[in-house]
Amino acid sequence: MKAAILREFGSPLMIGDIADPTLGTGEVVVDVVAAPVLSYTDEVFSGARKYLLPTPVVPGCGAIGRVREVGPDATRLKTGDWVFCDPTVRSRDDALMPDITLQGWSARGDGGKKLQRYFRDGSFAECIRVPTENAVPVGDLEPADAGRWCAINTLMISYGGLLAMDFKPGETLLVSGATGNFGSATVAVALAMGARSVVAPGRNEKILDDLRRRFGERVVPVRLSGEADRDSQAMMRAAPAPIDAVLDFLPPSAPASVARLAIMTVRPYGRAVLMGGVGMLGGEDLALPYPWIMRNNISILGQWMYKPDAVAGMVGLIRSGLLDLDHYAVTEFPLEQANEAVVHAATNSGPFKLTVLRPAP
């Protein structure tokens, strides 16, 4: 099969032929129809993000495809089924504390690296081998729609954070980092889940206006000034009700003070979930006040990715019409133009933009 291969960090992808994956027990082989190219892919491939990804490797994080072959433990999947290839691979020998690797992308800790040795190659190829539970049925699709369904890759992370905080219909959410890819996706998912309102702070007025245009009056944009006291009051005043929960998706370039300011807008007995990149490239610690957390009964949770059963819920939101994938503008590239796709993803990043590889011949 043809694949895009990252030989070493800092080198361009090489398009070449490699052996088809061999099916084992507990696995599924999927023909990749569309694979997302994330906006920061160039930072991963250059080594700037310092991701745990051994080279040479076929990279790629997630895919939409059709089942080619199933193992003996699959009782419902069949050849030809459309599936989302969930890149979040978990070890199976510790249900309480599973190790995790993002197939074709990164890993968490020593256990994740060990898991990565086997589930290593990702979706920038004509087919991919995934654990049986990671081939999640999405129902029948027109092949032309497969690229847009790659939005699941981003939407799932937002959904995972909302599920982790037990977000409920009728609640008010503040999204810290609302003008980024994950933040804007969180706005869409929270509204689909029945949010009373979503407070969207940021400094990019164009994106804030676009969020309001897309989703209507339940989105409450707040233009930040950079003055802490003023911005804190502005966020709380803008909300039509006390802020029940905060989901942080600020990028590694954001200072901890911005995250702290947003988190501390939450009401007493409120919740905050951290899913962004603050501090990953150095800088000050988050340093939330102990007395404020304790006396106000604040719940603070870190969340990486999402629980395994969350994908089915996401598919349900899309199939019901509550979450509209037509918000996403999709640009597609053939596998042979994988390097061009990486450049395009970086230079055309932003909310509701998708760059996709189409490996199928």
Side-chain angles (χ1 to χ4, degrees):
M1 69 173 181
K2 280 192 168 34
I5 303 159
L6 181 66
R7 291 170 293 183
E8 59 184 6
F9 288 115
S11 68
L13 295 168
M14 180 186 71
I15 312 302
D17 290 311
I18 62 172
D20 287 3
T22 302
L23 184 71
T25 300
E27 297 166 5
V28 174
V29 174
V30 176
D31 289 320
V32 177
V33 178
V37 184
L38 306 185
S39 61
Y40 58 93
T41 297
D42 61 331
E43 298 176 22
V44 176
F45 292 175
S46 71
R49 290 232 172 183
K50 301 184 181 352
Y51 276 13
L52 297 177
L53 181 64
T55 57
V57 64
V58 176
C61 188
I64 297 292
R66 305 191 77 170
V67 173
R68 174 191 289 192
E69 191 177 2
V70 299
D73 64 327
T75 61
R76 300 186 184 184
L77 278 179
K78 59 185 183 298
T79 300
D81 282 350
W82 284 95
V83 293
F84 167 57
C85 297
D86 182 358
T88 313
V89 179
R90 298 167 178 84
S91 59
R92 295 166 169 166
D93 53 352
D94 190 338
L96 182 63
M97 297 185 297
D99 288 303
I100 294 177
T101 190
L102 297 184
Q103 187 171 356
W105 206 243
S106 187
R108 185 184 70 187
D110 291 337
K113 288 191 289 184
K114 183 177 180 180
L115 191 62
Q116 189 182 54
R117 292 173 198 158
Y118 187 75
F119 291 107
R120 174 174 175 143
D121 287 340
S123 56
F124 288 9
E126 291 179 334
C127 64
I128 184 174
R129 178 188 61 198
V130 299
T132 303
E133 63 271 22
N134 286 60
V136 184
V138 297
D140 290 339
L141 294 181
E142 291 295 327
D145 293 334
R148 186 161 282 110
W149 272 79
C150 285
I152 288 183
N153 227 48
T154 299
L155 294 165
M156 275 305 310
I157 298 173
S158 299
Y159 189 47
L162 293 166
L163 292 178
M165 67 170 56
D166 191 25
F167 188 72
K168 297 179 177 63
E171 289 193 315
T172 294
L173 176 74
L174 184 143
V175 181
S176 180
T179 57
N181 287 336
F182 291 113
S184 59
T186 304
V187 173
V189 176
L191 293 173
M193 294 174 68
R196 172 179 176 174
S197 64
V198 179
V199 180
R203 302 184 74 169
N204 189 319
E205 293 190 17
K206 182 178 179 180
I207 294 177
L208 292 176
D209 290 343
D210 181 65
L211 288 172
R212 182 64 175 255
R213 179 188 62 79
R214 287 177 186 272
F215 299 112
E217 294 183 356
R218 284 196 293 157
V219 176
V220 184
V222 179
R223 291 168 178 81
L224 298 178
S225 67
E227 298 178 19
D229 291 342
R230 178 179 172 185
D231 288 342
S232 177
Q233 291 301 314
M235 287 186 280
M236 289 188 282
R237 278 199 310 268
I243 295 168
D244 299 292
V246 174
L247 186 50
D248 182 90
F249 267 119
L250 287 170
S253 58
S257 58
V258 177
R260 181 166 57 247
L261 190 70
I263 291 166
M264 292 187 68
T265 63
V266 76
R267 65 168 173 82
Y269 301 92
R271 301 98 72 199
V273 171
L274 312 181
M275 298 190 76
V278 170
M280 288 185 178
L281 300 179
E284 66 169 318
D285 188 63
L286 185 57
L288 289 167
Y290 188 116
W292 173 78
I293 296 171
M294 182 268 293
R295 290 173 180 165
N296 289 289
N297 293 278
I298 304 297
S299 298
I300 298 174
L301 176 69
Q303 176 68 30
W304 192 45
M305 304 305 287
Y306 40 83
K307 292 184 178 179
D309 59 357
V311 182
M314 171 56 60
V315 172
L317 287 174
I318 295 168
R319 289 296 185 184
S320 69
L322 292 168
L323 190 56
D324 188 358
L325 296 183
D326 285 342
H327 283 293
Y328 282 87
V330 184
T331 305
E332 299 182 345
F333 292 83
L335 183 62
E336 290 76 12
Q337 295 179 18
N339 287 299
E340 290 89 337
V342 171
V343 173
H344 182 273
T347 56
N348 293 272
S349 62
F352 307 111
K353 294 181 180 179
L354 270 176
T355 302
V356 171
L357 282 182
R358 299 285 300 219

